[in-house]
Amino acid sequence: GAVVSQHPSWVICKSGTSVKIECRSLDFQATTMFWYRQFPKQSLMLMATSNEGSKATYEQGVEKDKFLINHASLTLSTLTVTSAHPEDSSFYICSASKGGTGELFFGEGSRLTVL
Amino acid sequence: DQQVKQNSPSLSVQEGRISILNCDYTNSMFDYFLWYKKYPAEGPTFLISISSIKDKNEDGRFTVFLNKSAKHLSLHIVPSQPGDSAVYFCAASAGAGGTSYGKLTFGQGTILTVHP
């Protein structure tokens, strides 16, 4: 199957700093990528839809100025958590949509801990 | 508003027996349903899917059943193996023509433990 890679897999940062998480489709071009967030023992919640070359579409309740998404190429989308606070600590997962059927492939996830 | 619900947070099954994982949904616009398996600190991996035009889809040990009138789907794993122990998420998408995945709405997940 297709491969989607996230980096870093885990990151610890101080409160007030910004953290960037990368999502790459390694063997296919992804015009659309999705960012999810998962709290412990809870569902994956869709945060935003990232379209190559255009602005991301955010789900209701997600602060677009807090979670900056950039989809500069067909193989890379980035999520930047700006001025991170402890409540932003979570598991962030991206998925990439493969052309044709639009099948989704998920990255390995990134664990963010804000101290 | 939880549009996709997995009401059983956990399920314990003996090796070789059947595992049945359940999922209910409320949005009648959902037309494509998927099951994912997830290990801790990893992303979900796709297991099996079903379009709303079908009521059953089978792939090896995994079978998904869809009851549209009840807005209910279930995943059957037969026979269950210890390696199946993981968190299982059901997910649904809407308005994608029933053939592509689009945006997914996930359930809360069910932790399956298969005992040797």
Side-chain angles (χ1 to χ4, degrees):
Chain A
V3 179
V4 175
S5 178
Q6 277 184 246
H7 178 81
S9 56
W10 60 271
V11 58
I12 301 173
C13 70
K14 292 182 178 180
S15 185
T17 61
S18 294
V19 174
K20 180 186 286 187
I21 301 170
E22 294 184 345
C23 177
R24 294 181 185 272
S25 55
L26 298 184
D27 53 357
F28 67 98
Q29 293 184 329
T31 54
T32 304
M33 290 184 173
F34 302 91
W35 285 95
Y36 292 85
R37 179 176 180 176
Q38 184 186 25
F39 293 101
K41 298 183 180 180
Q42 293 190 28
S43 175
L44 284 78
M45 300 298 296
L46 179 65
M47 298 174 66
T49 302
S50 169
N51 296 298
E52 187 268 337
S54 64
K55 290 183 179 180
T57 303
Y58 290 81
E59 296 299 302
Q60 190 174 11
V62 178
E63 299 176 62
K64 61 181 180 181
D65 295 329
K66 173 77 171 176
F67 300 99
L68 300 179
I69 291 173
N70 184 278
H71 195 156
S73 77
L74 287 171
T75 59
L76 173 65
S77 176
T78 60
L79 167 68
T80 301
V81 183
T82 62
S83 186
H85 288 96
E87 57 265 29
D88 299 324
S89 298
S90 192
F91 192 59
Y92 293 88
I93 304 175
C94 73
S95 67
S97 176
K98 191 172 183 179
T101 64
E103 184 177 354
L104 285 182
F105 297 90
F106 284 82
E108 315 95 321
S110 300
R111 169 74 61 191
L112 171 64
T113 301
V114 184
L115 302 177
Chain B
D1 177 31
Q2 190 74 29
Q3 296 187 54
V4 178
K5 299 179 183 179
Q6 293 174 255
N7 292 317
S8 297
S10 63
L11 174 67
S12 183
V13 173
Q14 202 68 29
E15 181 178 8
R17 307 294 287 270
I18 184 172
S19 295
I20 300 177
L21 298 137
N22 293 303
C23 179
D24 298 292
Y25 62 96
T26 58
N27 188 343
S28 58
M29 298 301 293
F30 288 143
D31 57 5
Y32 204 77
F33 304 89
L34 309 94
W35 282 94
Y36 286 87
K37 179 179 179 180
K38 184 181 181 301
Y39 293 109
E42 293 184 10
T45 54
F46 172 75
L47 274 178
I48 192 169
S49 63
I50 188 167
S51 166
S52 60
I53 62 173
K54 295 185 176 181
D55 54 19
K56 176 182 176 182
N57 188 27
E58 190 172 354
D59 183 2
R61 296 187 297 114
F62 302 92
T63 302
V64 55
F65 295 92
L66 175 63
N67 182 333
K68 283 185 294 183
S69 61
K71 293 189 174 67
H72 177 83
L73 64 154
S74 61
L75 173 68
H76 292 211
I77 306 174
V78 181
S80 301
Q81 300 172 354
D84 296 329
S85 298
V87 180
Y88 288 78
F89 288 95
C90 70
S93 70
T99 56
S100 60
Y101 297 30
K103 295 194 312 184
L104 296 181
T105 301
F106 282 85
Q108 307 95 313
T110 297
I111 301 171
L112 173 65
T113 303
V114 180
H115 298 284

